């Protein structure tokens, strides 16, 4: 079955097990997917507080203050973060205040230290105090408010926010365990000598990293040779993974045994996606194990991962931008094209070498320009752009 990119994504998502939920301490939450909405246990700020170092006073007392005619206020105390002033600020009075310290009762404005002359018992203000230099109680979020939503990826900033909301532990979806297996008699591990006609296993190292970035637990398996028996043995040894990603062996060649194995012994959900690069990708199952067969060509393998596998595993849609084309982009009549491209000055440019074996393009090109089936783009047209990690 020859499917569209969005169909391929949905078919893979449908084969994944239901996600289990677990509570983890914040320290272990980075990159995970939040399993339930998180509500604030406290307000932030917890009280109206000063945004500056200076004095707190009544704005009305200071309206005439200028460099030529400063206004003098009497100092009656101090409010600092963690130790509030407990009295009340009356007319003609001021309290020394520091960033994050609660605004004392009676005061409604702040004058920064740079605008003050301090004589120990009083201060002279060279300009009026400002009610804008306070942070209002709950101005960031209020106790009871839902701030982080189920399904969000826990970036470091969101983990920090969860801490500020008062959560020491958060519910996350247990990471999917994804095994990665390269196939091919010519595939050699880096560090080994490279014989004639051989190639270093690069795919597995891209895929494992992309899986970890996607919040999955990646298991790197040894590369399997091109023989039906060896491949069957390798599949049988994949214990306990939720999904297996293979690379290579899914094209039309005589030695493309991953495809043969799924056709003969397993199930095939689809073979071939209407896309370039990456057309020969396939999805199936082998003895209850979902198997996604990525093409062997390094560019195809990583692009298919990025546009199909990753969104299916994470449930997060691809991030796309609309940008102006700085070069023309051709289209294909029966496939969606994902051309490698570079971003400069708010425009997007064809990377040039679009061969699916050009590994350098994956390092140099930071984006993919998506040209739908039958479409094309001229210089100046707006195009959909997918950012690559
Ligand atoms: P295949 O899809 O098995 O026909 O492989 C297509 C091309 O990708 C061939 O040139 C392979 O040598 C290359 N290739 C396959 N697997 C890998 C891998 N793990 N790392 C780098 N290149 C690979
Ligand atoms: Mg091969």
């Amino acid at each position: 079955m020859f499917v569209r990119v969005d169909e391929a994504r949905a078919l893979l998502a449908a084969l994944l097990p239901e996600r289990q939920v677990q509570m983890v301490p914040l320290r272990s939450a980075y990159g995970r997917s939040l399993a339930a909405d998180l509500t604030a246990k406290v307000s932030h700020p917890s009280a109206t507080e000063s945004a500056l170092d200076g004095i707190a006073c009544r704005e009305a007392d200071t309206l005439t203050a200028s460099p030529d005619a400063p206004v003098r206020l009497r100092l009656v105390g101090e409010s600092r973060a963690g130790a509030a002033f407990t009295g009340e600020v009356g007319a003609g009075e001021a309290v020394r205040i520091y960033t994050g310290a609660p605004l004392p009762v009676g005061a409604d404005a702040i004058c920064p230290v740079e605008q003050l002359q301090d004589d120990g018992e009083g201060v002279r203000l060279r300009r009026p105090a400002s009610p804008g230099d306070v942070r209002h109680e709950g101005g960031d979020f209020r106790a009871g408010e839902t701030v982080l939503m189920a399904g969000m990826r826990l970036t470091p900033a969101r983990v920090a926010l969860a801490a500020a909301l008062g959560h020491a532990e958060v519910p996350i979806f247990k990471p999917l365990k994804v095994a990665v297996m390269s196939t091919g008699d010519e595939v050699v591990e880096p560090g080994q000598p490279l014989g004639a006609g051989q190639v270093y296993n690069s795919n597995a190292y891209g895929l494992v990293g992309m899986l970890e970035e996607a919040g999955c637990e990646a298991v790197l398996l040894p590369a399997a040779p091109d023989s039906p028996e060896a491949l069957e043995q390798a599949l049988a040894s994949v214990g306990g993974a939720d999904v297996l990603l293979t690379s290579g062996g899914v094209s039309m060649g005589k030695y493309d045994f991953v495809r043969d194995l799924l056709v003969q012994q397993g199930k095939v959900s689809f073979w071939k996606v209407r896309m370039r690069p990456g057309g020969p990708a396939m999805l199936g199952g082998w003895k209850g194990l979902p198997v996604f067969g990525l093409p062997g060509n390094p560019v195809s393998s990583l692009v298919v991962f990025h546009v199909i596998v990753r969104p299916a595993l994470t449930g997060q849609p691809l991030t796309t931008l609309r940008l102006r084309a700085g070069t023309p982009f051709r289209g294909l009549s029966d496939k969606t094209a994902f051309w490698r491209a570079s971003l400069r000055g708010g425009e997007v440019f064809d990377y040039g070498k679009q061969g699916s074996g050009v590994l350098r393009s994956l390092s140099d090109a930071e984006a993919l320009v998506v040209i739908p089936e039958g479409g094309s783009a001229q210089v100046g047209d707006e195009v959909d752009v997918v950012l690559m990690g």
Side-chain angles (χ1 to χ4, degrees):
M1 194 172 63
F2 194 21
V3 295
R4 291 192 316 265
V5 171
D6 58 316
E7 292 170 326
R9 239 180 245 143
L11 287 164
L12 173 57
L15 288 191
L16 300 175
E18 202 182 320
R19 304 294 298 277
Q20 286 166 15
V21 176
Q22 75 187 127
M23 291 298 286
V24 294
L26 291 179
R27 186 66 186 78
S28 307
Y30 300 110
R32 302 283 170 237
S33 182
L34 191 60
D37 292 352
L38 280 194
T39 299
K41 294 180 188 248
V42 293
S43 296
H44 183 256
S46 56
T48 296
E49 62 188 32
S50 178
L52 302 169
D53 295 331
I55 54 114
C57 60
R58 299 181 173 202
E59 183 191 17
D61 288 348
T62 67
L63 294 174
T64 62
S66 70
D68 298 335
V71 167
R72 186 170 187 279
L73 299 173
R74 198 158 53 82
L75 281 166
V76 294
E78 178 180 274
S79 178
R80 59 192 174 96
F85 176 71
T86 49
E88 191 173 333
V89 176
E93 294 180 341
V95 158
R96 280 188 224 279
I97 197 162
Y98 303 95
T99 305
L103 190 70
V105 177
D108 58 10
I110 304 289
C111 188
V113 69
E114 296 81 359
Q115 300 297 333
L116 301 176
Q117 260 178 329
D118 195 326
D119 61 30
E121 273 152 32
V123 282
R124 276 172 213 282
L125 283 65
R126 281 191 289 262
R127 60 153 233 221
S130 157
D133 288 330
V134 300
R135 305 168 182 157
H136 291 282
E137 177 185 350
D140 189 1
F141 50 79
R142 293 198 160 276
E145 197 179 324
T146 299
V147 179
L148 290 169
M149 315 300 162
M152 279 182 164
R153 181 181 151 79
L154 289 167
T155 58
R158 287 176 178 154
V159 174
L161 183 51
L165 300 178
H167 296 271
E169 293 189 321
V170 287
I172 57 145
F173 288 114
K174 204 167 163 235
L176 286 170
K177 191 168 171 182
V178 185
V180 174
M181 185 196 293
S182 301
T183 71
D185 286 343
E186 78 285 25
V187 173
V188 172
E189 281 306 300
Q192 304 297 315
L194 196 70
Q198 295 184 320
V199 64
Y200 283 125
N201 181 4
S202 58
N203 292 355
Y205 293 94
L207 292 170
V208 164
M210 289 171 90
L211 283 167
E212 286 182 353
E213 277 180 3
C216 296
E217 181 188 341
V219 182
L220 177 56
L221 300 173
D226 288 321
S227 106
E229 299 75 29
L231 204 59
E232 190 179 334
Q233 231 173 29
L235 285 189
S237 71
V238 182
D242 294 311
V243 192
L244 170 66
L245 299 184
T246 57
S247 93
V250 290
S251 295
M252 304 266 257
K254 183 174 164 199
Y255 299 97
D256 287 329
F257 293 121
V258 174
R259 188 168 79 88
D260 288 355
L261 206 67
L262 292 186
V263 170
Q264 287 159 19
Q265 298 186 8
K267 267 191 284 194
V268 176
S269 168
F270 66 75
W271 178 47
K272 288 201 172 179
V273 184
R274 298 157 74 101
M275 68 183 287
R276 186 180 296 168
M282 85 183 292
L283 174 66
W286 190 83
K287 301 194 175 163
L289 174 69
V291 180
F292 195 102
L294 295 158
N297 275 310
V299 171
S300 307
S301 158
L302 299 191
V303 169
V304 170
F305 181 91
H306 196 71
V307 305
I308 297 176
V309 180
R310 183 195 165 101
L313 295 179
T314 59
Q316 309 278 341
L318 276 179
T319 316
T320 48
L321 307 171
R322 291 285 289 171
L323 290 176
R324 212 178 286 282
T327 48
F329 289 93
R330 74 189 174 99
L332 304 163
S333 61
D334 58 348
K335 290 176 181 153
T336 304
F338 294 90
W339 302 127
R340 273 145 285 149
S342 318
L343 307 174
R344 278 194 308 276
E347 295 191 343
V348 66
F349 297 83
D350 189 341
Y351 176 75
K353 295 179 190 161
Q354 296 290 348
S356 42
V358 185
L359 263 159
R360 284 171 73 146
S361 65
L362 289 171
S363 160
D364 295 347
E366 54 274 86
L368 299 171
V369 164
V370 188
I371 303 292
E373 285 181 23
S376 67
Q378 305 311 313
V379 172
D381 288 352
E382 286 212 328
V383 288
D384 279 332
V385 179
V386 172
L387 296 181
M388 296 277 279

